[in-house]
Amino acid sequence: MPHTPVPADELSARLSRLRRAMSERDPAWSMMLLDNKIDLYYLTGTMQEGALVVTPDEAALFVRRSFDCAQRESLFPDIRPMGSFRGIAEAFPHIPETVYVAARTMTLQKLTLLQKHLPFTPKPADDVLSGLRAVKSEYELSCMRRAGKLHQLVIEEVAPVLLRPGISEARLCSEICTCMLDRGAMGISRFNQPAAEDVLGVASFSENSLLASALDSPSGNVGTCIAMKSIGSSARCLKEGDTVLLDIPCGYNGYHTDKSISFYFGPLASHHEGSLIRAAHDQCIFLEREIASMMQPGAVPVEIYEKILACVDPAFRSGFMNACKFLGHSIGLTMDETPVLAKGFTAPLEAGMTLAVEPKIALEGIGLIGCENTYEIVSQGPARSLTGNCDTEFEIIC
């Protein structure tokens, strides 16, 4: 069964928005050249090795590999085969002195290859590109809503059933991801960083959930090995008295939702710090609801961040967010987009933005407790959860 392409009118609307944004940024702009697979997918509906050239009047996707694949799956109107970047110079003989690029993801190697045939001075346009992706279209929201429903089903209903004595972190993560795949998920999560890897997610028990991660995330994990700090350990197995943290994304048609859930495996009353663990979980639920209520059009991310920090119970401030300096992050084609609920983000929120909200508390000697859901900013009222509930079943009696 063929995959469903990004609609042609959606691609056309995105290209029009890009041109308008570039003209606002620089009325004299004359060319943009993009090579990152996420940018190519957003603007052309296909991920190929090649480059997209955009001018105020033209847009052409040059494909090195695979031209046939690009033609088959993309509704972008101008797709051309390319042997080398010389082909762009032949199609656009008047290359301007300044060409806008995605500086964050374009490598020096790629830039050197381009400049061999296209003599230009690169200028970053990352803020324009991230700004476009921050506000989702109805098509994008429909993909995220579908991902969110699938996400809620698997994490809230299926995952608790999979918890059993002796299951390893790695096995648990893989079983959850398999359940998502069986129901139509795309299988991995992508990050908006040059060196970041596409990953499945994280399952951590007790002490492992407190470990520092290479990513800017409160969720810790020992990983499958030193070379892969994700998924979970094949050796660490679940036992009564463990806390369980699942931080496993879900995606549909390229668009992600993010969700975390915590469990206590066994009777919480038998743990000598059972009341503290319960209180930490209740605090995270309270904070997530408070954040969601504040996320409305016109709200300023840094102001939300500062107000919530002031609301944190003093008993949990030292372990709040496990040393991370944010409360949530925009999400879409990648997991870590902008804006972020953190210091420095002063542009007001808009309807159509989607943010993952993830209050978490590190309890020394116990584990990381928390919750997370992905929210859609709506035109009126508090943000709407796409991924279900924060007040979920916590105590799992084995």
Side-chain angles (χ1 to χ4, degrees):
M1 183 175 181
H3 297 304
T4 303
V6 180
D9 58 351
E10 177 76 13
L11 297 177
S12 178
R14 294 176 186 181
L15 192 59
S16 295
R17 289 178 62 218
L18 173 63
R19 286 181 170 131
R20 285 196 301 271
M22 284 301 303
S23 295
E24 291 173 3
R25 163 77 178 276
D26 176 8
W29 82 281
S30 55
M31 182 174 285
M32 173 180 281
L33 195 152
L34 302 171
D35 73 308
N36 178 260
K37 63 182 180 181
I38 300 298
D39 293 325
L40 295 189
Y41 183 75
Y42 181 72
L43 291 165
T44 73
T46 186
M47 289 186 178
Q48 305 302 324
E49 174 62 27
L52 173 66
V53 177
V54 180
T55 74
D57 303 308
E58 295 182 79
L61 175 62
F62 293 85
V63 178
R64 187 196 302 272
R65 179 174 177 86
S66 160
F67 177 68
D68 290 341
C69 183
Q71 282 193 311
R72 184 171 61 250
E73 64 189 22
S74 172
L75 298 179
F76 191 76
D78 191 349
I79 304 176
R80 310 179 192 184
M82 177 182 70
S84 73
F85 291 123
R86 183 184 291 110
I88 297 177
E90 294 170 353
F92 291 88
H94 304 295
I95 302 296
E97 180 179 336
T98 299
V99 173
Y100 282 90
V101 300
R104 187 177 186 183
T105 54
M106 182 170 282
T107 64
L108 180 59
Q109 179 186 37
K110 181 64 69 67
L111 183 60
T112 300
L113 288 172
L114 283 166
Q115 291 178 325
K116 180 180 178 181
H117 304 290
L118 310 170
F120 66 84
T121 300
K123 192 170 184 178
D126 302 74
D127 57 335
V128 170
L129 294 166
S130 62
L132 288 180
R133 296 221 308 263
V135 179
K136 309 299 188 294
S137 68
E138 186 58 34
Y139 167 78
E140 293 176 292
L141 290 171
S142 70
C143 291
M144 294 188 68
R145 290 166 187 155
R146 182 158 178 175
K149 287 181 179 179
L150 192 163
H151 212 168
Q152 179 180 10
L153 170 66
V154 173
I155 296 298
E156 293 185 13
E157 298 183 25
V158 177
V161 179
L162 297 176
L163 298 180
R164 57 193 184 272
I167 188 172
S168 71
E169 292 175 337
R171 180 71 183 182
L172 178 59
C173 185
S174 65
E175 287 187 6
I176 291 170
C177 290
T178 297
C179 289
M180 289 182 180
L181 277 170
D182 288 344
R183 291 163 173 80
M186 67 183 186
I188 60 167
S189 55
R190 292 191 170 100
F191 289 86
N192 189 31
Q193 315 219 6
E197 296 176 291
D198 300 342
V199 299
L200 295 178
V202 161
S204 296
F205 304 153
S206 296
E207 73 285 350
N208 283 352
S209 62
L210 298 173
L211 297 174
S213 169
L215 291 171
D216 188 12
S217 168
S219 300
N221 185 251
V222 71
T224 57
C225 61
I226 292 174
M228 174 48 68
K229 298 292 187 180
S230 182
I231 303 175
S233 167
S234 296
R236 178 59 165 92
C237 296
L238 185 62
K239 62 182 185 298
E240 184 175 313
D242 275 331
T243 60
V244 178
L245 176 74
L246 303 178
D247 191 348
I248 300 175
C250 184
Y252 178 78
N253 270 7
Y255 287 86
H256 303 80
T257 51
D258 205 2
K259 184 175 176 69
S260 299
I261 195 168
S262 296
F263 300 106
Y264 183 82
F265 191 62
L268 189 55
S270 66
H271 195 288
H272 70 286
E273 293 281 17
S275 59
L276 178 69
I277 296 171
R278 175 72 71 184
H281 191 242
D282 290 344
Q283 171 80 160
C284 291
I285 293 168
F286 165 76
L287 292 173
E288 182 179 318
R289 287 173 172 164
E290 284 294 298
I291 296 168
S293 71
M294 295 179 187
M295 292 197 307
Q296 301 187 34
V300 177
V302 64
E303 293 178 2
I304 295 174
Y305 177 74
E306 291 172 345
K307 288 176 183 177
I308 291 297
L309 287 187
C311 290
V312 177
D313 189 317
F316 299 123
R317 284 180 184 170
S318 62
F320 185 60
M321 293 304 291
N322 204 14
C324 288
K325 305 298 184 183
F326 70 96
L327 298 173
H329 53 90
S330 185
I331 185 170
L333 284 174
T334 61
M335 295 287 295
D336 52 337
E337 303 198 345
T338 57
V340 180
L341 300 180
K343 289 183 177 179
F345 290 86
T346 58
L349 298 177
E350 300 178 46
M353 288 182 171
T354 49
L355 292 95
V357 175
E358 53 174 320
K360 294 184 172 74
I361 295 170
L363 298 177
E364 186 176 354
I366 297 173
L368 189 70
I369 305 298
C371 49
E372 178 182 19
N373 283 290
T374 298
Y375 288 84
E376 174 189 341
I377 309 296
V378 295
S379 58
Q380 291 185 332
R384 179 185 303 142
S385 176
L386 301 180
T387 51
N389 306 304
C390 55
D391 187 7
T392 53
E393 180 180 17
F394 182 58
E395 192 175 359
I396 305 296
I397 305 300
C398 46

